[in-house]
Amino acid sequence: MADGALIIIGGHEDKMGERLILKEVARRLKGGRLVVCTVASHEPDGYFDAYRKAFSGLGVDDLVEIYVDERAESWDADKLSPFENAAGVFFTGGDQLRLSSQIGDTPIERSVRRLYERGGLIAGTSAGASVMSETMLVKGPAEESYRIGELHMAPGLGLLRDAIIDQHFAERGRYGRLLGAVAHNPRLLGLGVDEDTALVVEGRRMTVLGAGAVYVVDGEAATHSNIAEGQADDALSLFDIRMHVLAHGDGFDLDARRPAAAARDTAD
Amino acid sequence: MADGALIIIGGHEDKMGERLILKEVARRLKGGRLVVCTVASHEPDGYFDAYRKAFSGLGVDDLVEIYVDERAESWDADKLSPFENAAGVFFTGGDQLRLSSQIGDTPIERSVRRLYERGGLIAGTSAGASVMSETMLVKGPAEESYRIGELHMAPGLGLLRDAIIDQHFAERGRYGRLLGAVAHNPRLLGLGVDEDTALVVEGRRMTVLGAGAVYVVDGEAATHSNIAEGQADDALSLFDIRMHVLAHGDGFDLDARRPAAAARDTAD
């Protein structure tokens, strides 16, 4: 069976009002079970209840929380069985390094991957969005330009190949660090997702959903960067980046690296 | 005689330490008079003294403050005479709309322009940087993506043609509004200048000086924007923007719209 879908959310998705993004999650679950994985949080109390409330009335009644305090628990049978008949997983926010270090290369990760491979939905918000990257952003400067050496990256779950995801993007002024990440290796397409905004990925095709924008940073045609020869405190120098600002309804082809505008008559 | 030079500073230039940018201002004055124009401020007390101190020891001894409380004063002979033998003008920060509305199309503006046309230096920081634009940014969203209709622009002094300048750029997360400004008419090149960073412009050639970066947003090759048909609260959609991140020593040719990397052996 073909891979399922990813819903990559930039954090702070609407949980009380129109709930555009959560509705899309619910629609794709078709009444099936959603595993809410709160592992990214050091202090998970309240996360699960918040999502139970947020999903109420949307037809998502079979919600199960998975949390692991220590990595060793990722082998526990009772943490794995909820995935068996699940229709989707939702990674909540927190620290993406907790997600990758606690569940990376464990049976829980393999359960997530199998669910995806049999056509399931993998959604994640904030840290849960970042972790879907192949190489993921962990920490970096906000509200300042990128300086060489200031970025902390790590291997992510790799559900989305050839891309690096950042979240809370415009709200936390993370342009500099995403440009810095792309400068390291333009093979990775930079994807900056605003709050209350999501990328819905099916195969190699993405669509934007929500109130903000998604920034696509394409370094393929870049002609110069000082990232290898600069000093640690030097500001980044990087020429000929192609950038796209995508809004609700806009699409993007990850293989062709080309955007497609929302059809006007279907825009809402 | 040829036009002089512009020094366009993104705000918060170092005034106590190495003073890289103020030294460049001083070097170009060659001991001549600097008119410190504090008109951008609603409350100018302290600005002039701060710059007198900041320039101390740099060989700038002939400093004169020009302030106008009301536009009518921009015709006063005693506000105009200091420009006659001046080597440069320094526009301090505040509100760029105060600058354009108080001195735009007055004898003070003409004095500034004449000084520039006879080879003088025009420096400006923060609001004093923005006002050099042809069409200038007055207000717009920070730390969020640009939404259609959210931008306040106005005619600037136009010392730098075909460009729109923004300042405190990475520090205040102003990417969204500069992208929005460029979307209005890609004829204007967007220039986002970080704090403690300057663009030194001579003719149509610019060089970056300082600790941060300068972002060049070139919309010439843009293939799509929703700015004309979108609704007021829609997020901007804008495809195929070319962006350059310029660091200390990097150059840019405004006519060719091409960057040039800092020579490695002259980098400091």
Side-chain angles (χ1 to χ4, degrees), chain B residues 22-253:
Chain B
L22 298 185
K23 271 182 190 161
E24 180 65 15
V25 171
R27 191 181 72 75
R28 288 173 177 270
L29 294 174
K30 300 191 177 84
R33 177 186 300 153
L34 182 64
V35 176
V36 177
C37 184
T38 56
V39 174
S41 181
H42 293 274
E43 195 57 76
D45 288 0
Y47 276 72
F48 182 64
D49 280 349
Y51 278 99
R52 196 205 296 273
K53 278 191 199 105
F55 276 112
S56 72
L58 299 184
V60 185
D61 302 314
D62 186 3
L63 280 156
V64 183
E65 180 180 14
I66 292 292
Y67 186 73
V68 296
D69 199 36
E70 284 287 355
R71 180 175 167 87
E73 299 165 28
S74 295
W75 276 259
D76 291 357
D78 66 320
K79 308 276 185 190
L80 300 172
S81 55
F83 287 96
E84 278 164 29
N85 299 307
V89 175
F90 193 106
F91 288 107
T92 59
D95 177 355
Q96 48 268 51
L97 195 54
R98 237 193 86 82
L99 266 172
S100 63
S101 60
Q102 299 297 300
I103 69 165
D105 203 33
T106 70
I108 287 187
E109 188 199 344
R110 287 189 280 278
S111 297
V112 170
R113 203 173 295 278
R114 267 200 306 273
L115 197 162
Y116 181 56
E117 285 164 1
R118 67 171 195 259
L121 173 69
I122 315 295
T125 188
S126 193
S130 286
V131 79
M132 294 194 201
S133 308
E134 190 186 300
T135 299
M136 70 178 183
L137 269 165
V138 179
K139 260 186 203 156
E143 286 162 34
E144 54 175 305
S145 288
Y146 173 70
R147 285 171 197 288
I148 291 166
E150 261 186 345
L151 211 56
H152 181 178
M153 293 192 278
L157 298 188
L159 293 166
L160 187 64
R161 292 277 161 192
D162 304 320
I164 186 159
I165 299 160
D166 208 351
Q167 16 81 6
H168 300 281
F169 192 69
E171 293 80 6
R172 297 192 185 169
R174 288 175 164 178
Y175 304 82
R177 77 184 209 182
L178 189 61
L179 287 160
V182 169
H184 279 73
N185 187 344
R187 181 173 68 75
L188 297 195
L189 195 71
L191 300 172
V193 186
D194 280 357
E195 294 180 356
D196 197 22
T197 307
L199 270 173
V200 181
V201 186
E202 289 178 290
R204 298 295 288 171
R205 170 106 198 133
M206 315 190 292
T207 310
V208 175
L209 190 69
V214 172
Y215 295 76
V216 179
V217 177
D218 183 353
E220 188 192 7
T223 53
H224 162 79
S225 146
N226 67 345
I227 198 144
E229 81 264 18
Q231 301 298 306
D233 197 44
D234 285 356
L236 177 70
S237 168
L238 179 63
F239 300 170
D240 291 299
I241 283 289
R242 180 178 292 129
M243 183 183 273
H244 311 287
V245 186
L246 309 182
H248 182 73
D250 288 343
F252 195 83
D253 182 318

Side-chain angles (χ1 to χ4, degrees), chain A residues 182-204:
Chain A
V182 169
H184 280 72
N185 187 344
R187 181 173 69 75
L188 297 195
L189 196 71
L191 300 173
V193 187
D194 280 356
E195 294 178 356
D196 196 23
T197 307
L199 270 173
V200 181
V201 186
E202 288 178 291
R204 298 296 286 169

Side-chain angles (χ1 to χ4, degrees), chain A residues 7 16 50-51 75 97 104 120 132 135 156 162 164 175 180 191 200 203 210 218 241 253:
Chain A
I7 298 189
M16 313 270 282
Y51 279 99
W75 276 260
L97 196 54
M132 294 196 200
T135 300
D162 305 320
I164 186 160
Y175 304 81
L191 300 173
V200 181
D218 182 352
I241 284 289
D253 183 318

Side-chain angles (χ1 to χ4, degrees), chain A residues 69-148:
Chain A
D69 199 35
E70 283 289 353
R71 179 174 168 88
E73 300 165 27
S74 296
W75 276 260
D76 292 356
D78 66 320
K79 308 276 186 191
L80 300 172
S81 56
F83 287 95
E84 278 163 30
N85 299 308
V89 176
F90 193 105
F91 289 108
T92 58
D95 177 356
Q96 48 267 53
L97 196 54
R98 240 192 83 83
L99 267 173
S100 62
S101 60
Q102 299 297 300
I103 70 164
D105 202 32
T106 70
I108 286 188
E109 188 199 343
R110 287 189 281 279
S111 298
V112 170
R113 204 174 294 280
R114 268 201 305 274
L115 197 162
Y116 181 54
E117 286 165 2
R118 67 169 195 261
L121 172 70
I122 316 295
T125 187
S126 192
S130 286
V131 80
M132 294 196 200
S133 309
E134 189 186 301
T135 300
M136 71 177 182
L137 270 165
V138 179
K139 260 186 202 155
E143 287 162 31
E144 54 175 306
S145 288
Y146 173 70
R147 284 171 197 287
I148 291 166

